Amino acid sequence: MINRLVENIRKKKAPIVVGLDPMLSYVPEFILDRAVKEHGETLEAAGAAVWEYNKGIVDAVCDEIPAVKPQIAMYEQFGLPGMQAFQKTVDYCREKGLIVIGDVKRGDIGSTSAAYANGHLGSVQVGGTKCYAFNEDFITVNPYLGSDGVSPFVDVCREEKKGIFVLVKTSNPSSGEFQDQKVDGRPLYEIVGEHVARWGADCMGDSYSYVGAVVGATYPEMGRILRKIMPKTYILVPGYGAQGGTAADLKPYFNEDGLGAIVNSSRGIICAYKQDKYAGFGESGYAEAARQAVLDMKEDINRIF
């Protein structure tokens, strides 16, 4: 799957991933009103509205981007109808040829991690049939419990030729409370980065590992260090745009081949119609506004190469 991701990035000249992180406040009123009219003021209405919203955005941008990243919590908040919207979104994006990165941030003791890995990347055996559940292409993984919490994910990646992105240095303001703490004189995120490189060394695609890393755009100097520690690791970079990361901050995350990183934008794209810059599209043109935001992001990022 890492080979497909690299191929999609090259083909579309777009090292970007659109975060499908819907809140009801993001959904245009005409979509929500239609869902409420059909389902009442219920979780079913929320799930239906989120699905229609996502589909409109995906249809508008799928030819310009290599991947999407649905954040599962934004769907879980709506219970089972929300999870049905998540599954429909994953399936639809895969039908459109997009790589799906499930932003699920799973990680636990070994047996639990194995169940998470099977549910999101692998399969379960039901009688004589192998059944796939969510079936994303990549997921995000929290390494806080150590190697025995990550190894089950790596095993499934190897079996299924899929991938993970391990949290190394996240973009949120308080990430340093733990991630920057010194261990034998070195910040913890560097030590995690070394583990990521080792986990991925025997789980390689053509040029990059199935085991990627998450490193926030808001910390470019740390990104520069981690790029050297993890030369064969694809880096998922959140924090561009709404969280303050700029295109100038992104160059350290890429290798000299112009590859090695994929940059996420969520609100900056899916809520583009709410920004002054794209206000002319109006609510009814929310998907077209998202497409224009993607084109602008591509232009912005490609200037650094």
PDB file of all heavy atoms in Angstrom, residues 73 77 104 108 128 145 187 207 212 214 216 229 238 245 250 257 296 300-301:
ATOM      1  N   ALA A  73     -13.261   9.712  15.562  1.00  0.00           N
ATOM      2  CA  ALA A  73     -14.000  10.301  16.686  1.00  0.00           C
ATOM      3  C   ALA A  73     -15.137  11.193  16.208  1.00  0.00           C
ATOM      4  O   ALA A  73     -16.181  11.294  16.869  1.00  0.00           O
ATOM      5  CB  ALA A  73     -13.060  11.100  17.580  1.00  0.00           C
ATOM      6  N   GLN A  77     -19.023  10.101  17.688  1.00  0.00           N
ATOM      7  CA  GLN A  77     -19.880  10.955  18.510  1.00  0.00           C
ATOM      8  C   GLN A  77     -21.358  10.817  18.143  1.00  0.00           C
ATOM      9  O   GLN A  77     -22.238  11.152  18.946  1.00  0.00           O
ATOM     10  CB  GLN A  77     -19.439  12.414  18.392  1.00  0.00           C
ATOM     11  CG  GLN A  77     -19.622  13.030  17.016  1.00  0.00           C
ATOM     12  CD  GLN A  77     -19.132  14.472  16.960  1.00  0.00           C
ATOM     13  OE1 GLN A  77     -19.263  15.224  17.923  1.00  0.00           O
ATOM     14  NE2 GLN A  77     -18.552  14.858  15.823  1.00  0.00           N
ATOM     15  N   VAL A 104      -7.384   6.741  13.693  1.00  0.00           N
ATOM     16  CA  VAL A 104      -8.041   6.058  14.807  1.00  0.00           C
ATOM     17  C   VAL A 104      -7.202   6.059  16.087  1.00  0.00           C
ATOM     18  O   VAL A 104      -7.703   5.768  17.162  1.00  0.00           O
ATOM     19  CB  VAL A 104      -8.425   4.613  14.420  1.00  0.00           C
ATOM     20  CG1 VAL A 104      -9.367   4.621  13.221  1.00  0.00           C
ATOM     21  CG2 VAL A 104      -7.200   3.761  14.126  1.00  0.00           C
ATOM     22  N   ASP A 108      -2.680  -0.508  22.395  1.00  0.00           N
ATOM     23  CA  ASP A 108      -3.036  -1.079  23.687  1.00  0.00           C
ATOM     24  C   ASP A 108      -2.138  -2.282  23.929  1.00  0.00           C
ATOM     25  O   ASP A 108      -1.161  -2.481  23.197  1.00  0.00           O
ATOM     26  CB  ASP A 108      -4.524  -1.475  23.681  1.00  0.00           C
ATOM     27  CG  ASP A 108      -5.173  -1.383  25.052  1.00  0.00           C
ATOM     28  OD1 ASP A 108      -4.582  -1.921  25.999  1.00  0.00           O
ATOM     29  OD2 ASP A 108      -6.248  -0.782  25.165  1.00  0.00           O
ATOM     30  N   GLY A 128     -15.732 -20.466   7.763  1.00  0.00           N
ATOM     31  CA  GLY A 128     -14.745 -20.646   6.705  1.00  0.00           C
ATOM     32  C   GLY A 128     -14.503 -19.397   5.880  1.00  0.00           C
ATOM     33  O   GLY A 128     -13.839 -19.467   4.840  1.00  0.00           O
ATOM     34  N   LEU A 145       2.237   2.442  24.730  1.00  0.00           N
ATOM     35  CA  LEU A 145       2.365   1.203  25.496  1.00  0.00           C
ATOM     36  C   LEU A 145       3.593   0.389  25.112  1.00  0.00           C
ATOM     37  O   LEU A 145       3.839  -0.670  25.677  1.00  0.00           O
ATOM     38  CB  LEU A 145       1.106   0.338  25.362  1.00  0.00           C
ATOM     39  CG  LEU A 145      -0.007   0.683  26.368  1.00  0.00           C
ATOM     40  CD1 LEU A 145      -0.726   1.962  25.982  1.00  0.00           C
ATOM     41  CD2 LEU A 145      -0.993  -0.461  26.512  1.00  0.00           C
ATOM     42  N   PRO A 187      15.248  14.036  23.805  1.00  0.00           N
ATOM     43  CA  PRO A 187      13.785  14.111  23.870  1.00  0.00           C
ATOM     44  C   PRO A 187      13.151  12.780  23.502  1.00  0.00           C
ATOM     45  O   PRO A 187      13.641  12.049  22.628  1.00  0.00           O
ATOM     46  CB  PRO A 187      13.432  15.205  22.867  1.00  0.00           C
ATOM     47  CG  PRO A 187      14.598  15.303  21.954  1.00  0.00           C
ATOM     48  CD  PRO A 187      15.795  14.922  22.763  1.00  0.00           C
ATOM     49  N   SER A 207      10.579   1.755  -1.817  1.00  0.00           N
ATOM     50  CA  SER A 207      11.507   2.777  -1.325  1.00  0.00           C
ATOM     51  C   SER A 207      11.232   3.195   0.107  1.00  0.00           C
ATOM     52  O   SER A 207      12.136   3.702   0.784  1.00  0.00           O
ATOM     53  CB  SER A 207      11.432   4.032  -2.222  1.00  0.00           C
ATOM     54  OG  SER A 207      11.756   3.723  -3.564  1.00  0.00           O
ATOM     55  N   GLY A 212       4.898   4.261   8.931  1.00  0.00           N
ATOM     56  CA  GLY A 212       5.135   5.697   8.826  1.00  0.00           C
ATOM     57  C   GLY A 212       5.096   6.363  10.190  1.00  0.00           C
ATOM     58  O   GLY A 212       4.972   5.716  11.231  1.00  0.00           O
ATOM     59  N   VAL A 214       3.813  10.160  12.381  1.00  0.00           N
ATOM     60  CA  VAL A 214       3.084  11.424  12.436  1.00  0.00           C
ATOM     61  C   VAL A 214       3.984  12.453  13.104  1.00  0.00           C
ATOM     62  O   VAL A 214       4.420  12.259  14.245  1.00  0.00           O
ATOM     63  CB  VAL A 214       1.766  11.287  13.229  1.00  0.00           C
ATOM     64  CG1 VAL A 214       1.063  12.638  13.322  1.00  0.00           C
ATOM     65  CG2 VAL A 214       0.856  10.248  12.596  1.00  0.00           C
ATOM     66  N   GLY A 216       4.093  16.767  13.460  1.00  0.00           N
ATOM     67  CA  GLY A 216       3.328  17.974  13.189  1.00  0.00           C
ATOM     68  C   GLY A 216       4.081  19.052  12.428  1.00  0.00           C
ATOM     69  O   GLY A 216       5.288  19.262  12.639  1.00  0.00           O
ATOM     70  N   ILE A 229      16.514  10.815  11.258  1.00  0.00           N
ATOM     71  CA  ILE A 229      16.419   9.587  12.039  1.00  0.00           C
ATOM     72  C   ILE A 229      15.626   8.526  11.287  1.00  0.00           C
ATOM     73  O   ILE A 229      15.921   7.325  11.407  1.00  0.00           O
ATOM     74  CB  ILE A 229      15.753   9.887  13.404  1.00  0.00           C
ATOM     75  CG1 ILE A 229      16.706  10.721  14.278  1.00  0.00           C
ATOM     76  CG2 ILE A 229      15.347   8.611  14.130  1.00  0.00           C
ATOM     77  CD1 ILE A 229      16.065  11.212  15.567  1.00  0.00           C
ATOM     78  N   PRO A 238       0.357  16.626  10.107  1.00  0.00           N
ATOM     79  CA  PRO A 238      -0.817  17.448  10.429  1.00  0.00           C
ATOM     80  C   PRO A 238      -0.363  18.849  10.843  1.00  0.00           C
ATOM     81  O   PRO A 238       0.832  19.098  11.046  1.00  0.00           O
ATOM     82  CB  PRO A 238      -1.437  16.708  11.620  1.00  0.00           C
ATOM     83  CG  PRO A 238      -0.248  16.115  12.310  1.00  0.00           C
ATOM     84  CD  PRO A 238       0.762  15.775  11.229  1.00  0.00           C
ATOM     85  N   GLY A 245       0.630  25.784  10.687  1.00  0.00           N
ATOM     86  CA  GLY A 245       1.755  25.377   9.869  1.00  0.00           C
ATOM     87  C   GLY A 245       1.676  25.992   8.477  1.00  0.00           C
ATOM     88  O   GLY A 245       0.599  26.113   7.897  1.00  0.00           O
ATOM     89  N   LEU A 250       7.299  23.131   5.822  1.00  0.00           N
ATOM     90  CA  LEU A 250       7.163  21.740   5.416  1.00  0.00           C
ATOM     91  C   LEU A 250       8.404  21.130   4.773  1.00  0.00           C
ATOM     92  O   LEU A 250       8.561  19.911   4.785  1.00  0.00           O
ATOM     93  CB  LEU A 250       5.995  21.611   4.434  1.00  0.00           C
ATOM     94  CG  LEU A 250       4.622  22.010   4.972  1.00  0.00           C
ATOM     95  CD1 LEU A 250       3.594  21.969   3.844  1.00  0.00           C
ATOM     96  CD2 LEU A 250       4.201  21.092   6.112  1.00  0.00           C
ATOM     97  N   ASP A 257      14.173  13.556  -2.941  1.00  0.00           N
ATOM     98  CA  ASP A 257      13.385  13.106  -4.096  1.00  0.00           C
ATOM     99  C   ASP A 257      12.019  13.786  -4.166  1.00  0.00           C
ATOM    100  O   ASP A 257      11.220  13.492  -5.064  1.00  0.00           O
ATOM    101  CB  ASP A 257      13.219  11.582  -4.076  1.00  0.00           C
ATOM    102  CG  ASP A 257      12.534  11.045  -2.814  1.00  0.00           C
ATOM    103  OD1 ASP A 257      12.102  11.863  -1.979  1.00  0.00           O
ATOM    104  OD2 ASP A 257      12.442   9.812  -2.673  1.00  0.00           O
ATOM    105  N   ASP A 296      -5.438  25.369  -4.305  1.00  0.00           N
ATOM    106  CA  ASP A 296      -4.579  26.399  -3.706  1.00  0.00           C
ATOM    107  C   ASP A 296      -3.519  25.761  -2.811  1.00  0.00           C
ATOM    108  O   ASP A 296      -2.359  26.208  -2.782  1.00  0.00           O
ATOM    109  CB  ASP A 296      -5.422  27.385  -2.900  1.00  0.00           C
ATOM    110  CG  ASP A 296      -6.309  28.256  -3.770  1.00  0.00           C
ATOM    111  OD1 ASP A 296      -6.079  28.301  -5.010  1.00  0.00           O
ATOM    112  OD2 ASP A 296      -7.246  28.878  -3.233  1.00  0.00           O
ATOM    113  N   ASP A 300       0.535  25.934  -3.240  1.00  0.00           N
ATOM    114  CA  ASP A 300       1.336  26.444  -2.127  1.00  0.00           C
ATOM    115  C   ASP A 300       2.453  25.481  -1.766  1.00  0.00           C
ATOM    116  O   ASP A 300       3.618  25.878  -1.638  1.00  0.00           O
ATOM    117  CB  ASP A 300       0.421  26.661  -0.920  1.00  0.00           C
ATOM    118  CG  ASP A 300       1.097  27.385   0.233  1.00  0.00           C
ATOM    119  OD1 ASP A 300       1.954  28.252  -0.032  1.00  0.00           O
ATOM    120  OD2 ASP A 300       0.775  27.079   1.392  1.00  0.00           O
ATOM    121  N   ILE A 301       2.133  24.196  -1.632  1.00  0.00           N
ATOM    122  CA  ILE A 301       3.121  23.224  -1.209  1.00  0.00           C
ATOM    123  C   ILE A 301       4.134  22.937  -2.315  1.00  0.00           C
ATOM    124  O   ILE A 301       5.339  22.811  -2.048  1.00  0.00           O
ATOM    125  CB  ILE A 301       2.445  21.921  -0.755  1.00  0.00           C
ATOM    126  CG1 ILE A 301       1.677  22.190   0.557  1.00  0.00           C
ATOM    127  CG2 ILE A 301       3.463  20.805  -0.555  1.00  0.00           C
ATOM    128  CD1 ILE A 301       0.873  21.014   1.057  1.00  0.00           C
TER     129      ILE A 301
END
